[in-house]
């Protein structure tokens, strides 16, 4: 299915693209109006409680305060299926990655009152939790050296009280972490550690175990908060140093972000594996498929989903 909106209508300008390459992120930019997003979420949060068509079994995926059952709900939910294909997002993504683009993963990122911030981290192959690369670039792409392009949309208020994202501009060109090392999962770490004076963790892992230089300490003075209203999104390289602040409990509203992750079609997704193992859970990839959101796919190394598990078609630009 192809949308009829004019090509380039929501694309980055040359100036915006140059800014993105320099900083490693672009935004926030509007995807939905504030009240539109609030109305959508009031409806969708109820529909998402029905996991009967979700591709991962919750009992196998759930662990801690974040879990694999938060992954890939765009594969069974109509709104999220349309969201990952939204041209306000995909035209910006294609301007960076090139015309042929896959969405290979989505994730919910909830933060409840009292929850710790997320530790500083970078992700290239996403082997950080399991030790096995989840995406592998072919090596001849002209746009970047690896990682994924993440578009993080605020479904609720994301500010310095509720635990907004933080970025270190320009940090995306040098990896400070070695994902071939192994982190050790310990759920009792959750909401139990303070780093640099800030309650920070990584969903039961300690990201510092992956540091190339064991004496490296992220420079908090370079951190920029990404305050976002409901319906706004921000696009960034996963190799950008990023974190989030804790939810300080001044409001009872949770902070909820939803992350779409995009790569060129040439990238291999979940190579040489049939399951995801991380965060204390294990799920089969039997029903998984990447979604072609832009252009065409000239490769046969990835499983492609053309519709949700309920029959809702994905829209390719």
């Amino acid at each position: 299915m192809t949308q009829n909106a004019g090509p380039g209508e929501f694309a980055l300008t040359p100036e915006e693209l140059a800014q993105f390459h320099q900083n490693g992120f672009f935004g926030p930019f509007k995807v939905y109006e504030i009240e539109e997003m609030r109305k959508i979420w009031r409806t969708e949060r109820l529909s998402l409680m029905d996991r009967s068509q979700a591709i991962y079994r919750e009992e196998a995926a759930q662990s801690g305060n974040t879990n694999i059952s938060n992954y890939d709900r765009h594969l069974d939910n109509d709104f999220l299926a349309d969201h990952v294909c939204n041209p306000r997002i995909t035209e910006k993504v294609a301007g960076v990655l090139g015309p042929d683009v896959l969405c290979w993963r989505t994730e919910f990122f909830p933060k409840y009152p009292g929850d710790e911030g997320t530790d500083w981290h970078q992700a290239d192959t996403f082997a950080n939790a399991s030790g096995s690369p989840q995406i592998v670039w072919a090596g001849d792409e002209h746009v970047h050296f690896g990682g994924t392009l993440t578009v993080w949309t605020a479904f609720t208020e994301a500010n310095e009280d509720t635990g907004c994202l933080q970025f270190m501009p320009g940090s995306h060109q040098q990896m400070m972490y070695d994902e071939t090392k192994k982190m050790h999962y310990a759920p009792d770490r959750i909401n139990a550690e303070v780093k640099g004076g800030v309650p920070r963790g990584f969903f039961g892992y300690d990201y510092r175990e992956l540091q190339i230089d064991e004496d490296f300490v992220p420079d908090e003075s370079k951190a920029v908060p990404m305050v976002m209203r409901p319906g706004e999104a921000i696009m960034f390289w996963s190799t950008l140093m990023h974190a989030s602040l804790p939810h300080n409990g001044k409001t009872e509203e949770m902070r909820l972000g939803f992350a779409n992750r995009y790569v060129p079609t040439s990238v291999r997704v979940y190579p040489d594996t049939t399951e995801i193992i991380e965060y204390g859970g294990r799920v089969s990839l039997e029903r998984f498929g990447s979604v072609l959101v832009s252009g065409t796919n000239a490769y046969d190394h990835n499983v492609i989903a053309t519709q949700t598990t309920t029959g809702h078609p994905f829209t390719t630009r």
Side-chain angles (χ1 to χ4, degrees):
M1 180 177 178
T2 303
Q3 288 189 343
N4 296 319
E9 183 178 355
F10 304 111
L12 296 175
T13 67
E15 294 77 17
E16 290 170 337
L17 185 59
Q19 179 190 49
F20 173 81
H21 286 310
Q22 178 179 349
N23 292 330
F25 68 92
F26 173 78
F29 58 90
K30 184 186 297 184
V31 182
Y32 310 100
E33 299 293 338
I34 294 173
E35 289 306 318
E36 178 187 16
M37 184 73 255
R38 286 173 173 160
K39 181 179 180 181
I40 289 170
W41 181 237
R42 281 195 297 269
T43 301
E44 296 305 324
R45 69 187 304 172
L46 295 176
S47 66
L48 285 162
M49 294 176 67
D50 179 3
R51 295 188 54 85
S52 60
Q53 298 299 320
I55 65 168
Y56 306 129
R57 293 184 299 112
E58 186 171 26
E59 61 270 20
Q62 189 167 0
S63 178
N65 68 346
T66 238
N67 52 72
I68 311 172
S69 64
N70 277 333
Y71 288 3
D72 298 332
R73 295 302 305 275
H74 68 288
L75 293 175
D76 73 277
N77 177 272
D78 290 2
F79 164 68
L80 297 179
D82 292 340
H83 175 69
V84 302
C85 299
N86 190 312
R88 293 179 183 273
I89 294 173
T90 59
E91 287 194 0
K92 292 177 177 61
V93 170
V96 176
L97 295 180
D100 306 325
V101 179
L102 298 177
C103 177
W104 70 279
R105 177 188 284 176
T106 62
E107 299 170 58
F108 277 106
F109 285 101
K111 196 176 292 295
Y112 297 93
D115 276 353
E116 65 190 359
T118 302
D119 208 359
W120 289 104
H121 62 288
Q122 298 169 297
D124 180 359
T125 67
F126 285 75
N128 46 26
S130 66
S132 299
Q134 296 182 353
I135 53 172
V136 176
W137 286 57
D140 56 357
E141 295 88 353
H142 69 282
V143 294
H144 201 58
F145 58 83
T148 192
L149 202 57
T150 296
V151 178
W152 196 101
T153 304
F155 281 14
T156 63
E157 299 285 355
N159 53 49
E160 291 179 86
D161 288 329
T162 62
C164 65
L165 291 171
Q166 296 173 286
F167 293 157
M168 291 189 182
S171 60
H172 56 299
Q173 296 291 351
Q174 181 181 4
M175 287 294 291
M176 307 303 293
Y177 303 92
D178 178 359
E179 292 173 293
T180 65
K181 294 183 177 183
K182 188 68 182 277
M183 292 192 297
H184 301 88
Y185 182 67
D188 57 354
R189 286 183 175 140
I190 297 172
N191 289 324
E193 295 187 279
V194 176
K195 299 169 187 174
V198 181
R200 291 195 195 276
F202 199 77
F203 316 113
Y205 293 96
D206 187 341
Y207 216 85
R208 295 173 297 185
E209 293 181 8
L210 302 184
Q211 288 180 191
I212 296 171
D213 176 0
E214 63 180 20
D215 296 322
F216 169 68
V217 178
D219 185 353
E220 294 275 354
S221 70
K222 297 179 179 179
V224 178
M226 297 291 118
V227 175
M228 299 166 63
R229 302 300 310 278
E232 288 188 319
I234 197 155
M235 179 174 71
F236 62 98
W237 279 117
S238 61
T239 53
L240 185 73
M241 286 283 291
H242 57 290
S244 70
L245 290 166
H247 192 311
N248 62 22
K250 290 184 178 179
T251 173
E252 294 183 356
E253 182 184 37
M254 69 180 295
R255 184 224 71 185
L256 185 66
F258 186 75
N260 311 348
R261 303 197 187 275
Y262 298 99
V263 292
T265 53
S266 56
V267 171
R268 294 180 180 272
V269 177
Y270 295 121
D272 305 317
T273 187
T274 59
E275 58 185 3
I276 306 172
I277 306 171
E278 57 191 26
Y279 303 117
R282 179 191 298 258
V283 294
S284 169
L285 292 168
E286 180 180 3
R287 303 179 71 192
F288 169 82
S290 297
V291 177
L292 182 68
V293 300
S294 177
T296 59
N297 178 32
Y299 302 89
D300 61 4
H301 50 238
N302 293 319
V303 177
I304 304 297
T306 59
Q307 62 183 23
T308 68
T309 56
T310 62
H312 184 76
F314 292 109
T315 302
T316 303
R317 295 287 295 171

